[in-house]
Amino acid sequence: MNPSEEFVEQGISQQNLRTVSSTTVLTLAYQSLGVVYGDLCISPLYVYKTTFSGKLSLHEDDEEIYGVLSFIFWTITLIALFKYVFIVMLADDNGEGGTFALYSLLCRHAGLSILPNQQAADEKLSEYVTEGSADTWRSSALKSFFEKHPRFRKGLLIFVLLGTCMAIADGVLTPAISVLSAVSGVKLKITELHENHIVIISCVILVGLFSLQHYGTHKVAFMFAPIVTAWLLCLTGIGVYNIFWWNSHIFHALSPIYMLKFLKSTGVEGWISLGGVVLAITGVETMFANLGHFSPLSIRIAFTFLVYPSLLLTYMGEAAFLSKHHEDIERSFYKAIPETVFWPVFIVATFAAVIGSQAVISATFSIISQCCALNCFPHVRIIHTSSKIYGQIYIPEVNWMLMCLSLAVTIGLRDTSMMGHAYGLAVTTVMFVTTCLMAMVMIIVWKQNTFTAVAFLLVFGSMELLYISACIFKVPEGAWIALTVSSIFMAVMYIWNYGTMKKHQFDVENKVSMNRIVSLGPSLGMVRVPGIGLVYTNLVTGVPAVFGHFVTNLPAFHQVLVFVCIKSVQVPYVCEKERILISRVGPKECGMFRCILRYGYKDLQQENYNFENRLVSGLVQFVETEEQTAPKATDFCGEFGNSDIEAFDSSVHTTTISYPEEDRARCSCDIQVMTSDIGRVESFLLKDESLQILKAKESGVTYVLGHSYAKSKKPSSIFKKFAIDVAYAFLSKNSTEPNILMKVSPTSLLEVGMIYYV
């Protein structure tokens, strides 16, 4: 495997890219064409058709054509080139891009995260980098504002989810409009082909596209870059041909004066038609979101030297053709193709449309996975489609849902112009969310002055609001689809997050004290049974209520008990050596521990190794390290009684023991355990407790999962009762069960039912 392929398969971080050669960067730039720019490069299929789909008409002086071309040129130049390529790509989160990356940066630097179970130890992760220049009064003031007003932190999350839901709507609309636009070109050569036949062919291609998703894009990804490159070369050649053949003076339209003339002569209709112009930059958000698979430099090179000039020549060539053929506006792209190369270009266009759709579908899978990590979407089954390429996933439920929605849009509308109106609203909303987040990043993270952030917000935000306002006027003509799809997903995300946070609040308020468990032991006749019990909980401290419910009804638990907490932290990835934290719970003789598994928002929360063996190895290493750092075990933990000994340390192979002066009977042992193969345990001179853990492992491991039901309290409002008792209950019932996500064998599973009144 050559180095460039290795970088693509493993994912690229900013640190790795500092050492790559110029040859590798150019190779990555070439490979990025197939992954990053598929959506952006197919926009010429429908931009002019959608722009002139309303009451806007063409006159003999070509003012409208020149005006639209001028808008397209400056939109691509200002938003795609200057905003995204030169500015937004600088705001990466450890090499990752996208809306969640910007939100993650703000959460870490300003404490905006609303994720539960966040700990000080999380800030010591290698990916959790917040170093930089000291806070300015502007950044301090903005941080203080969010600290004093928790509702605005919640509002920021809702704002981010709005952009996320519009991106999901993009995943519904892109396959429909791309495939239908590409296939509709065949009517120029087969005139007797009915519109219903075009729709049927498009639906067949869509069904095939979604049916192949479970194989993963890596099976055909090696073909993506050559096809997109061929497509861009076709666009460039056709554009140059049309410019010289039909109107060599079309380059005059690049002057911004023609934008003013266009708006002055067309008035309201010209303003509303801008909803079609914005389709020229669809895919720029995908370009930023795919930053983690390539380097910013490689993406900049590919866009600046190939994609950008190719798209400009294409739009100029099509405008030159339209200046002489006003009647062909409905199919101007295919009409502008020279007769001799029509069929080859048509075939390449169809493949390019499929590739563009594939990129957006894969991005939607990634978005849903990140939402699950942030407790904003019901649990779904996530499948790895590649054993080599990390992050390539497939979500069956989401895939079939997207397919049904895309088919419904294709069959229901049958018009790429109406789809374009919805598409434009979704794209512009996502871009505006990115602009607002970037302005905050400039102040809080980059420590820039207020003028710079406000100027960025005004320049790009005003342009995007102009396009959003134009798209809103198209709501009756198709844009309502984007609003409907995004509203449904927004409701699902908000209700799931609301219900999950209420359940966590119940867990925190109803933690069981060790005093109660120990005191109830003799009266209940509590016994210990051989084996290891893994009690899964959402808490990082204390004993969960589900365990108290369990022992009061069945007064027996395992010889070794481990409270396992799987949580997300506000970083894209957590490396394996920092993933697991192990600590002791209660007095040593109780044999109870806590294991915390930390994942980033782009990590897949599914262990791909033998978790049981690694956990046992970690427990043994913890016990041995604890024995070494505290030779007198009774002095170390014998006085803890009913307290929770919580131990964390971010330093590798480091043990820290503190003895507070105000209470020398209490102490804390900070240990971070990097687990490894259980065979390494043999190198230790094992103590009695370590032998007991290994013996318990031989007796078997049991997974204790809470099967909880949330119910609203009687005095709750009607909204809360509907949200919890109806909507959240429905989502919980239809979400994937935790034991399926963790691939727990039914013979090792013990579920504990419990009702939560929230």
Side-chain angles (χ1 to χ4, degrees):
M1 179 183 298
N2 62 55
S4 62
E5 291 176 341
E6 185 176 358
F7 277 124
V8 173
E9 291 192 351
Q10 294 178 355
I12 295 180
S13 66
Q14 296 295 330
Q15 292 79 7
N16 291 337
L17 288 167
R18 293 171 183 166
T19 59
V20 298
S21 64
S22 57
T23 304
T24 302
V25 171
L26 293 176
T27 305
L28 289 173
Y30 168 72
Q31 293 173 337
S32 69
L33 293 173
V35 178
V36 176
Y37 296 109
D39 188 14
L40 183 62
C41 293
I42 58 175
S43 56
L45 290 173
Y46 42 75
V47 169
Y48 280 108
K49 180 179 184 298
T50 304
T51 303
F52 289 99
S53 61
K55 298 179 181 179
L56 191 65
S57 58
L58 298 177
H59 296 92
E60 291 299 325
D61 56 5
D62 296 329
E63 286 283 342
E64 292 78 11
I65 295 176
Y66 278 54
V68 169
L69 176 59
S70 184
F71 266 105
I72 291 174
F73 169 76
W74 288 106
T75 300
I76 296 176
T77 301
L78 293 178
I79 295 182
L81 185 64
F82 287 115
K83 175 190 167 183
Y84 277 92
V85 174
F86 292 141
I87 300 178
V88 174
M89 281 192 181
L90 297 175
D92 65 279
D93 183 15
N94 292 290
E96 296 296 327
T99 304
F100 278 107
L102 297 178
Y103 180 65
S104 175
L105 284 174
L106 293 173
C107 288
R108 293 208 304 274
H109 287 79
L112 302 180
S113 177
I114 63 170
L115 285 174
N117 293 331
Q118 300 304 293
Q119 303 165 280
D122 300 336
E123 299 180 9
K124 299 177 182 179
L125 290 167
S126 58
E127 296 272 326
Y128 205 107
V129 180
T130 58
E131 292 86 357
S133 58
D135 283 344
T136 63
W137 68 267
R138 293 172 290 271
S139 61
S140 299
L142 197 54
K143 290 180 184 179
S144 177
F145 174 79
F146 281 106
E147 290 175 359
K148 294 178 180 179
H149 302 86
R151 291 186 177 180
F152 284 92
R153 291 204 301 268
K154 188 74 173 179
L156 179 63
L157 175 63
I158 294 175
F159 186 62
V160 172
L161 292 181
L162 171 63
T164 302
C165 293
M166 283 295 186
I168 295 174
D170 186 7
V172 173
L173 294 166
T174 299
I177 189 173
S178 301
V179 173
L180 186 60
S181 297
V183 174
S184 61
V186 75
K187 289 189 67 175
L188 293 179
K189 297 300 180 182
I190 309 178
T191 54
E192 63 273 13
L193 200 63
H194 194 270
E195 181 183 355
N196 291 338
H197 299 148
I198 299 294
V199 173
I200 292 174
I201 295 173
S202 300
C203 289
V204 170
I205 294 176
L206 288 173
V207 171
L209 173 64
F210 284 100
S211 299
L212 294 174
Q213 291 301 310
H214 68 281
Y215 291 109
T217 57
H218 67 284
K219 298 290 186 182
V220 291
F222 68 94
M223 294 181 58
F224 284 5
I227 292 176
V228 174
T229 303
W231 172 242
L232 288 172
L233 294 177
C234 288
L235 292 179
T236 303
I238 295 172
V240 172
Y241 169 82
N242 286 324
I243 291 172
F244 285 99
W245 186 260
W246 299 112
N247 189 348
S248 59
H249 300 289
I250 195 66
F251 65 90
H252 293 304
L254 304 184
S255 171
I257 296 176
Y258 284 95
M259 291 192 293
L260 300 177
K261 290 183 177 180
F262 172 78
L263 293 177
K264 183 178 180 180
S265 62
T266 57
V268 176
E269 290 301 324
W271 165 49
I272 295 176
S273 69
L274 296 180
V277 171
V278 78
L279 296 180
I281 53 173
T282 57
V284 291
E285 194 67 34
T286 304
M287 177 175 64
F288 178 45
N290 282 290
L291 189 61
H293 295 288
F294 302 94
S295 68
L297 180 59
S298 64
I299 292 178
R300 290 190 185 103
I301 290 174
F303 183 84
T304 306
F305 294 102
L306 181 58
V307 178
Y308 177 69
S310 177
L311 290 177
L312 291 186
L313 289 173
T314 302
Y315 288 117
M316 291 173 64
E318 193 170 347
F321 174 82
L322 280 175
S323 65
K324 306 299 181 183
H325 303 82
H326 292 181
E327 70 282 359
D328 292 329
I329 186 63
E330 283 296 315
R331 290 186 176 85
S332 59
F333 177 81
Y334 283 109
K335 283 281 190 178
I337 299 175
E339 197 71 26
T340 54
V341 296
F342 177 86
W343 285 111
V345 172
F346 173 78
I347 294 173
V348 175
T350 304
F351 278 112
V354 172
I355 291 173
S357 303
Q358 175 63 61
V360 176
I361 294 171
S362 299
T364 305
F365 291 157
S366 179
I367 289 173
I368 296 294
S369 176
Q370 294 172 31
C371 289
C372 291
L374 294 176
N375 294 327
C376 293
F377 200 83
H379 300 299
V380 290
R381 186 164 59 99
I382 301 174
I383 300 173
H384 296 264
T385 59
S386 174
S387 59
K388 295 181 179 180
I389 306 177
Y390 186 82
Q392 292 223 349
I393 58 176
Y394 167 67
I395 305 177
E397 298 91 337
V398 176
N399 180 67
W400 303 124
M401 177 180 61
L402 290 177
M403 186 190 75
C404 293
L405 291 174
S406 293
L407 290 175
V409 169
T410 304
I411 297 173
L413 295 184
R414 303 184 175 209
D415 184 4
T416 55
S417 296
M418 296 183 70
M419 295 179 192
H421 300 153
Y423 196 14
L425 181 59
V427 170
T428 50
T429 303
V430 177
M431 290 190 297
F432 181 69
V433 170
T434 299
T435 299
C436 294
L437 293 178
M438 270 299 303
M440 296 178 62
V441 167
M442 288 180 175
I443 296 177
I444 295 177
V445 181
W446 292 353
K447 309 297 190 299
Q448 297 292 319
N449 57 55
T450 307
F451 175 79
T452 303
V454 172
F456 177 86
L457 183 62
L458 289 178
V459 171
F460 296 107
S462 59
M463 292 178 60
E464 289 154 1
L465 286 176
L466 175 66
Y467 289 129
I468 290 175
S469 63
C471 293
I472 289 177
F473 271 85
K474 294 290 186 177
V475 168
E477 301 176 25
W480 60 270
I481 296 175
L483 292 177
T484 302
V485 173
S486 61
S487 298
I488 293 173
F489 278 97
M490 191 75 179
V492 169
M493 290 183 178
Y494 182 81
I495 290 174
W496 184 261
N497 179 263
Y498 177 77
T500 303
M501 296 300 290
K502 285 295 182 181
K503 285 181 65 175
H504 177 75
Q505 182 181 349
F506 177 90
D507 283 334
V508 172
E509 295 174 351
N510 293 272
K511 289 191 292 187
V512 181
S513 67
M514 288 297 299
N515 259 334
R516 182 165 180 262
I517 293 178
V518 173
S519 61
L520 288 176
S523 61
L524 295 175
M526 196 174 298
V527 296
R528 305 294 290 269
V529 297
I532 298 177
L534 304 182
V535 181
Y536 280 79
T537 173
N538 293 322
L539 301 177
V540 295
T541 60
V543 179
V546 67
F547 179 72
H549 182 68
F550 170 67
V551 296
T552 52
N553 289 275
L554 183 63
F557 56 92
H558 296 81
Q559 180 184 3
V560 177
L561 195 69
V562 184
F563 296 101
V564 181
C565 174
I566 302 176
K567 72 169 191 175
S568 296
V569 291
Q570 209 69 56
V571 295
Y573 300 103
V574 176
C575 61
E576 287 295 330
K577 66 181 181 180
E578 295 179 318
R579 189 176 306 285
I580 299 179
L581 294 175
I582 295 179
S583 61
R584 188 183 292 279
V585 177
K588 182 177 179 181
E589 56 269 18
C590 289
M592 294 193 295
F593 302 89
R594 188 182 311 283
C595 172
I596 299 176
L597 299 174
R598 301 181 293 184
Y599 291 89
Y601 59 85
K602 297 201 76 171
D603 277 324
L604 299 181
Q605 296 188 11
Q606 296 176 359
E607 301 299 330
N608 55 0
Y609 51 77
N610 192 332
F611 173 65
E612 294 178 7
N613 285 343
R614 295 198 64 178
L615 175 60
V616 171
S617 176
L619 291 175
V620 171
Q621 291 185 43
F622 174 84
V623 171
E624 295 296 318
T625 309
E626 184 185 49
E627 293 282 356
Q628 295 171 9
T629 56
K632 295 182 180 180
T634 55
D635 293 338
F636 177 73
C637 58
E639 298 296 327
F640 280 86
N642 303 313
S643 64
D644 228 9
I645 304 176
E646 295 300 340
F648 307 104
D649 178 42
S650 67
S651 303
V652 179
H653 294 303
T654 300
T655 302
T656 304
I657 302 177
S658 60
Y659 297 91
E661 295 180 0
E662 65 272 15
D663 187 1
R664 299 188 66 84
R666 298 181 61 86
C667 64
S668 64
C669 172
D670 293 354
I671 299 174
Q672 174 174 316
V673 179
M674 295 191 307
T675 58
S676 59
D677 293 336
I678 196 168
R680 292 184 57 187
V681 175
E682 298 174 356
S683 62
F684 291 95
L685 181 61
L686 299 179
K687 300 295 190 293
D688 291 341
E689 189 176 10
S690 300
L691 293 174
Q692 291 176 1
I693 293 173
L694 293 177
K695 187 176 180 180
K697 170 66 169 63
E698 295 177 358
S699 300
V701 179
T702 301
Y703 294 78
V704 182
L705 302 179
H707 199 86
S708 57
Y709 301 89
K711 294 285 186 181
S712 61
K713 298 176 181 178
K714 289 185 178 180
S716 301
S717 63
I718 296 177
F719 169 78
K720 185 175 181 180
K721 288 184 177 180
F722 174 80
I724 298 296
D725 298 340
V726 180
Y728 184 77
F730 174 80
L731 294 175
S732 299
K733 183 179 180 181
N734 290 277
S735 64
T736 305
E737 296 292 338
N739 58 301
I740 297 177
L741 293 174
M742 295 183 292
K743 300 179 181 178
V744 177
S745 172
T747 58
S748 303
L749 177 65
L750 179 61
E751 291 188 294
V752 181
M754 189 172 180
I755 298 178
Y756 286 17
Y757 288 97
V758 298

